[in-house]
């Protein structure tokens, strides 16, 4: 099963201003896209409506596979 994480990330290097937040995780891409449209109108995000991201993840599977050490690696 796949899940879809809706997040917001904004960085302004000139002002050293950064804002990053995971908003929610959804069971479908459609729900995540609908939520993104809703949150674009929120006062916190209204001036940065293009800084939303939707990432797809497989449930119960590690996302960062190449960095983990397993017992097999030790022997």
């Amino acid at each position: 099963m796949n899940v879809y994480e809706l997040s917001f990330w904004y960085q302004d290097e000139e002002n050293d201003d950064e804002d990053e937040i995971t908003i929610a995780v959804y069971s479908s891409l459609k729900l995540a896209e609908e939520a993104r449209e809703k949150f674009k109108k929120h006062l916190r995000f209204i001036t940065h409506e293009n800084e939303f991201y939707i990432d797809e993840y497989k449930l119960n599977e590690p996302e960062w596979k190449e960095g983990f050490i397993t017992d097999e690696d030790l022997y």
Side-chain angles (χ1 to χ4, degrees), residues 49-64:
E49 58 274 345
N50 294 322
E51 307 299 334
F52 287 90
Y53 302 92
I54 297 174
D55 294 305
E56 181 180 9
Y57 298 98
K58 290 188 183 282
L59 197 58
N60 300 325
E61 289 191 23
E63 177 61 24
W64 186 53

Side-chain angles (χ1 to χ4, degrees), residues 58-75:
K58 290 188 183 282
L59 197 58
N60 300 325
E61 289 191 23
E63 177 61 24
W64 186 53
K65 296 175 184 172
E66 62 274 347
F68 292 109
I69 298 173
T70 65
D71 289 341
E72 294 171 2
D73 295 331
L74 298 175
Y75 302 102

Side-chain angles (χ1 to χ4, degrees), residues 1-6 24-36 54-57:
M1 175 182 190
N2 293 343
V3 294
Y4 301 85
E5 177 189 76
L6 174 61
V25 177
Y26 296 93
S27 60
S28 73
L29 180 57
K30 181 181 179 204
L31 289 173
E33 290 171 339
E34 289 171 357
R36 176 180 55 197
I54 297 174
D55 294 305
E56 181 180 9
Y57 298 98

Side-chain angles (χ1 to χ4, degrees), residues 1-46:
M1 175 182 190
N2 293 343
V3 294
Y4 301 85
E5 177 189 76
L6 174 61
S7 60
F8 173 83
W9 186 71
Y10 167 76
Q11 183 176 19
D12 183 352
E13 292 181 10
E14 288 182 22
N15 299 327
D16 199 30
D17 186 22
E18 185 174 336
D19 191 6
E20 181 177 5
I21 184 170
T22 296
I23 296 171
V25 177
Y26 296 93
S27 60
S28 73
L29 180 57
K30 181 181 179 204
L31 289 173
E33 290 171 339
E34 289 171 357
R36 176 180 55 197
E37 294 308 309
K38 176 182 143 188
F39 280 99
K40 280 182 179 183
K41 299 171 187 160
H42 189 281
L43 289 176
R44 178 175 179 174
F45 309 118
I46 203 160

